[in-house]
Amino acid sequence: MTSEVGRHLLFQSHMPTKTTCLSSQVSDDEQKQKRENIRSLTMSGHVGFESLPDQLVNRSIQQGFCFNILCVGETGIGKSTLIDTLFNTNFEDHGSSHFYPHVRLKAQTYELHESNVRLKLTIVNTVGFGDQINKEESYQPIVDYIDAQFEAYLQEELKIKRALSHYHDSRIHVCLYFISPTGHSLKTLDLLAMKSLDSKVNIIPVIAKADAISKAELQKFKIKLMSELVSNGVQIYQFPTDDETIAKINASMNGHLPFAVVGSMDEVKVGNKMVKARQYPWGVVQVENENHCDFVKLREMLICTNMEDLREQTHTRHYELYRRCKLEEMGFTDVGPENKPLSLQETYEAKRHEFYGERQRKEEEMKQMFVQRVKEKEAILKEAERELQAKFEHLKRVHQEERMKLEEKRRLLEEEIIAFSKKKATSEIYQNQPYMASGSNLKKDKDRKNSNFM
Amino acid sequence: MDPMRRSPSPCSSRPSSPRTPPCEMLGYVGIEAVLDQLKIKAMKMGFEFNIMVVGQSGLGKSTMVNTLFKSKMWKSTVQGLGTPTPQTLKLQSVTHVIEEKGVKLKLTVTDTPGFGDQINNDKCLRPLDIEFLQRLCRTVNVVPVIARADSLTIEERETFRRRIQHNLRTHCIEVYPQKCFDEDINDRILNSKIRDRIPFAVVGADREHLVNGRCVLGRKTKWGIIEVENLAHCEFPLLRDLLIRSHLQDLKDITHNVHYENYRVCRLNESHLLPRGPGWVNLAQTPAGPLAAPQPSKACQQDQEDSKDDDEY
């Protein structure tokens, strides 16, 4: 039965790539097949695509591999020595001091070759972990570092012109957590650190300097550690058991966790061979002897069997979780209102629209506020003007009144002057009459004058 | 060298790209086991491959696909002379899962019935072909093939091939394997050999015949049996080897790293408008999609009819 699907000529997808959708693609082949109505066909002869895995491998050989290990543990616990032993190389490293005020991370990249495989190995070590008196912030720098690598990858992925195939992937693929061989239980710092890291990175806990514990104590110690991890809900890395070829060995190895390891690049003669070992007065601890420690198991699991799975888990689980959280933080979702599926581009458009709307609204608001302020100021000024005017009017009136009063006074004064002049004139007429009763007249006149003046 | 110099601050960037020389390992570690891990993972996940076949009907596209994958991928259609050629191009896809020695391949074949039926490109590439190929080569890996090569003699094939190669070069059409993606000298040598033989002259057949006691795929004619897998008869094995046995992963890689990335850049830059150029072909829409916009010519016709109606009233 053919499925008729019309496709746009310019729109062709050729591989199951990561879409811009947020949810990780669940590859549930059977379900998908049923949905898409895909049939299985038998071929009548040899076609030749059995070479496909080889083609894939050849491509990978050309590209090279990348593996990043993070070692978390106290100063002096043997991180660098173990890495040296694991990769059978003397990586350049000097011991570090115990007196750092903060925990820092030191990353170094090396290129290793084995037959035709090129491996870019990055080792990240913690410096000063557990050395501080106040250990509260000891593991935060580690979490931040892991997040920073995820962030860098996310940034590259979101670029318009990106070069993912050439990108030097710095995301941490595995965290080897070194536990002190006290023989008792997990330290609080260890528990807290692992708890904050287990959702971000594959954790493989190892018991360092395992030659300090006796075999009997070791077994008890391992059981105690695992039960503490389980009861505190710490998710350590489980070696995958879904593929039949490696399921059995992985399952059995899962039971030996945490691996009790001893590291050493020094060689000691045992029998007639030179082996890597640590020489004590009472005996020789051989690194690669499985009776002495779990070093070989660690190397098997970490490198020979599960390196690819560690890389894949980092990408499909830890990185996807980080990515989802980060994008959701920025406000993107897969499902819009009314539960309809939403593409990243739609969300982006909506956000942009929202942003412009918001900006416009703010502009309007500011405009309004400005207009309002202007009005208010105008009103105040007008009020002031009116007051001033009123005062002016008032003053004018007062002035007017005063003037009138003065006018009145002047008028009165002038009238008086006129009256006085008249009197003066009259008195002068009387003075010119003959002096009969001059004395008495004079006296009478004087009296009259005086009375006038009074 | 101060080892502290390289310490990144907790919240800062990643370690810089290494410029350290390779480190000597003192013995075997087991890093190469990662190749086996890859193989196991690949076998578990299975592979996918999508092919589109383009060309006139009757050229044997379906038969070719069936021959390539040795199974009845597609019912070969025989177009009668009386059936009208469809105006619009309808794409049909069919997906099958085939397995060989534990390797699962999900194969999708897309056919393009109706394309190029109006033109005849017996002699050389016509302008429609040129235009089409130019656009196509920018979006996808194109492998040109001379179909029905059983009607050409060896010399005629060679002449035709050279003419096509000349046409492609003149119009700067880069077919697969593209010169610009040759990574090193080995690639270039290998791919130049392939480029010399492109387009392959192929014959498709899905019937088996007995030849010299062997059972072979071939076409039986009055003058003999054309063995499809015989290099002396046709170049089908070269096509098959290129597509399936040696370059399948490369085809996928180029599609993913180059064509898809180019598309992505254009798409992200243009917001939500898909580019439409001249010659945009109206294709059948998916059932759930919106209705296709009517063709301009049809719309004009409609208007005319409407106005006619108005006049009558």
Side-chain angles (χ1 to χ4, degrees), chain A residues 408-442:
Chain A
E408 186 65 33
K409 272 207 177 132
R410 191 167 84 168
R411 199 175 55 78
L412 282 172
L413 205 61
E414 275 185 4
E415 276 178 9
E416 279 182 18
I417 291 175
I418 289 171
F420 176 68
S421 313
K422 271 196 194 146
K423 280 210 171 112
K424 188 169 161 193
T426 320
S427 78
E428 276 175 3
I429 292 174
Y430 275 126
Q431 259 189 329
N432 289 336
Q433 279 183 345
Y435 292 68
M436 281 227 254
S438 57
S440 55
N441 284 350
L442 270 168

Side-chain angles (χ1 to χ4, degrees), chain A residues 116-134:
Chain A
N116 53 359
V117 176
R118 279 180 300 126
L119 180 69
K120 247 191 210 142
L121 180 71
T122 301
I123 309 288
V124 186
N125 269 317
T126 54
V127 176
F129 188 72
D131 278 338
Q132 296 80 26
I133 294 181
N134 180 1

